Amino acid sequence: GVSDPGFHVDGDLNLVPLRDLLHSEPVLFIRGLSAHADDLAQVDIIGTPGRSDIVGQKLPYRSKRSLLVPNISISENERGPFPKFIGQLISMGQPREQIFRMTGPGADQDPKGLFTIDMNSGTVSVSRSVDREASDSYQLEVSTTDYSGNLIEGPQVFRIKVIDQNDNRPIFKEPRYTGEVLEGSPTGTTVMTMTAFDADDPNTDNAVLRYNIVKQSPDKPSPNMFYIDAERGDIVTVIAPTLLDRETLPTTTYELEIVAKDMAGSEVGLTGTATATITITDKNDHAPEFTHPLFEAHVYEGSTGVVVNLTVDDRDDPATAAWRAMYSIISGDPIQSFEIQTNPDNNEGMLSVVKPLNYEASEFLSLLIRVENEDPLVPDVGYGPSSTATVHVRVEDINEGPVFFPDPLIVTRMENIPVGSFVASLNATDPDILEKQSIRYAVLQDPAGWLSVNPVRGTVNTSASLDRESPYVYDNKYTAVFIATDNGTPPATGTGTLIIHLEDYNDNAPYVLPSVARVCEDAYDVTVAVVGGWDKDLPPNAAPFKIELGKQPDLDKTWKVTRVNSTHSQIMLLRSLKKDNYQLPLLITDSGVPPLSNNTEVKVQVCICNKNRMHCSSAHSHHARFLVPLATLLLTLLLRLSDLLMAIDQSVYGCISFL
């Protein structure tokens, strides 16, 4: 554009008038604008008539008073000296005394003083270099006033554009980038995208970037395994899928040095660098293979634990599911005597015996083992997904201890059988059937010391009387433990249990409780006590009991015993007695066959009763709050208790008889 509308610039960059001109300003400004530049040029007009030469002439048009404000462009980072002229404002009106003024950011606002204007001539200068990245343009206002400050022209907008220079290098966000690509990936697989940024004007080549790989490390098997899209920064594979094999490459990690250059990659462009680390990741393209087709193991019969470690080779990435091995037993273990666990550190299969082996049953076993990976094998590989090997297990014989059968041995015997009576015959056999060995028996645990055993034949006899009521008998059962020892080298032992269920014999006489009773001195024809029979034996060798007076003369004149139920009877005083202690003889008989009887006594204390207290003869007696009328209540309670106990006895006896 030209500051004077009477001129224009043609296609050959010639300044030509549009019409015949009688007058022109002595100075013109021409603005040039392109995609990458914006500049202003000053043209001096020489030889044209001045204004004084045409005074009084009639002009073809009348110019209105106006302020010509060109758009000015300046380059960033310009060198001095400063201040430096960058443009001029022109008043197009009639000449008169005026002052040019400029306001706004860069003038009287921050950054203050960056731009200045000559108040008389209107020339604009910059006082120091500018930075486009700080501000790419400045918008100010200009005007003219008279010396009194009265506005003549304006205000008009005055724009100053900062032209970019290539003063910023491309910068990557990170100095190092990481990416992964699966081995065997097709050519052209995108690995990652590298992106750099340039602070220069994005509308100019100063910020147009091009990417390039300048170094690959290592450079095997090809120095150009990867390619980067120059404009987008996408890194893709170039190497063929068959060569992108993690197991045959010299390394699984490659480093690329990436350069980003501005100016669209031209030689004068500025550069920035970053490193791309690419890891070739594994896929399960190699099945595990046993290092040997045959493994051998030796194990002692009766033992458990690891017997052999199975070793495999796998070229896939360790510590991944494509490398980790899983073992299984295909054949040779019908009763699941073995199991295999994988050692996570070295991938070995630890073959263990979990059920003890028997040499006499089989001294040699052959197992077929299979190994495969946790991840399935990728398709289209030239071999199977698994490998097999054979394990020969040889069982070593050991001297095993004798085994009792049955264990425990349960027999039933009557208590109190004669000493030396036969109880049971022990049966222990030696598992070492391929060897002829003898067995000897001995008592290991006999809590009451009732038994003996023949060391050769294993027959058990009584060495003392068996007693069902002994504290060593629990629930009518007596338990003893025997040991059998063979004559192997070294000798081996085994234990067996004998349980004797003891049947009851009427060998315990019954007795009476309670053994003491009290009554008042003046009482007669009253119940003194209710006594019950007790027996250590079981029914039918216990209740019902017969309780009667002892065989002493004239007892029946003073005392009377009356049966209450099968276990209890009541004692009545038929006449009053003086204060004293009396021993009342009683005879109690059980129901065994033959029955057992017991002569016993009940101590009856005849006491003086007054004010609800009893004063008895015994020095050891103490005062108690007994009343004779309470005897009836006590009798009722005791009878109910007796009935309950009798019912319990019959229930227990019925259960024992059933057993």
Side-chain angles (χ1 to χ4, degrees), residues 300-304 335 337 353-358:
Y300 286 105
E301 65 171 331
S303 65
T304 58
I335 60 173
S337 298
V353 176
V354 293
K355 294 180 181 178
L357 303 175
N358 186 1

Side-chain angles (χ1 to χ4, degrees), residues 39-79:
D39 206 353
L40 192 70
Q42 177 177 318
V43 178
D44 295 331
I45 306 299
I46 301 174
T48 60
R51 292 179 181 271
S52 59
D53 298 333
I54 57 173
V55 175
Q57 297 183 10
K58 186 176 181 180
L59 299 178
Y61 66 93
R62 181 177 180 181
S63 173
K64 294 184 179 181
R65 189 172 184 84
S66 63
L67 186 62
L68 180 60
V69 182
N71 289 329
I72 297 177
S73 297
I74 62 174
S75 178
E76 68 171 333
N77 302 322
E78 285 191 351
R79 297 182 179 180

Side-chain angles (χ1 to χ4, degrees), residues 403-409 495-498:
V403 178
F404 283 83
F405 181 83
D407 188 24
L409 174 60
T495 60
T497 301
L498 172 63

Side-chain angles (χ1 to χ4, degrees), residues 53-214:
D53 298 333
I54 57 173
V55 175
Q57 297 183 10
K58 186 176 181 180
L59 299 178
Y61 66 93
R62 181 177 180 181
S63 173
K64 294 184 179 181
R65 189 172 184 84
S66 63
L67 186 62
L68 180 60
V69 182
N71 289 329
I72 297 177
S73 297
I74 62 174
S75 178
E76 68 171 333
N77 302 322
E78 285 191 351
R79 297 182 179 180
F82 295 102
K84 179 179 288 188
F85 170 81
I86 60 172
Q88 184 172 8
L89 306 182
I90 300 174
S91 176
M92 303 297 291
Q94 295 296 326
R96 59 183 292 188
E97 292 181 350
Q98 59 186 0
I99 297 174
F100 289 91
R101 298 183 181 277
M102 182 169 61
T103 62
D108 58 349
Q109 301 175 20
D110 290 333
K112 293 181 180 179
L114 180 59
F115 303 104
T116 59
I117 188 170
D118 185 284
M119 68 174 60
N120 297 315
S121 65
T123 58
V124 180
S125 301
V126 61
S127 60
R128 56 186 181 272
S129 63
V130 296
D131 182 7
R132 190 204 69 85
E133 286 68 46
S135 179
D136 60 356
S137 65
Y138 297 87
Q139 180 170 305
L140 304 98
E141 289 187 349
V142 293
S143 60
T144 60
T145 65
D146 58 23
Y147 286 105
S148 299
N150 298 315
L151 181 65
I152 300 176
E153 296 170 306
Q156 288 185 235
V157 176
F158 175 38
R159 292 183 177 88
I160 301 175
K161 181 179 180 181
V162 181
I163 300 174
D164 184 45
Q165 285 188 346
N166 191 22
D167 58 346
N168 289 278
R169 294 179 178 276
I171 297 176
F172 288 91
K173 279 189 173 181
E174 302 291 338
R176 182 177 295 273
Y177 292 77
T178 59
E180 295 180 349
V181 61
L182 186 66
E183 64 172 332
S185 295
T187 301
T189 299
T190 300
V191 181
M192 66 174 77
T193 299
M194 304 286 289
T195 304
F197 298 90
D198 195 309
D200 290 320
D201 189 351
N203 297 316
T204 68
D205 285 346
N206 295 340
V208 176
L209 306 183
R210 295 292 182 266
Y211 299 92
N212 186 34
I213 300 174
V214 297

Side-chain angles (χ1 to χ4, degrees), residues 465-485:
S465 179
L466 305 182
D467 183 10
R468 190 196 66 83
E469 291 75 35
S470 169
Y472 297 105
V473 176
Y474 302 96
D475 193 23
N476 301 321
K477 297 181 181 69
Y478 180 72
T479 302
V481 180
F482 296 85
I483 186 170
T485 306

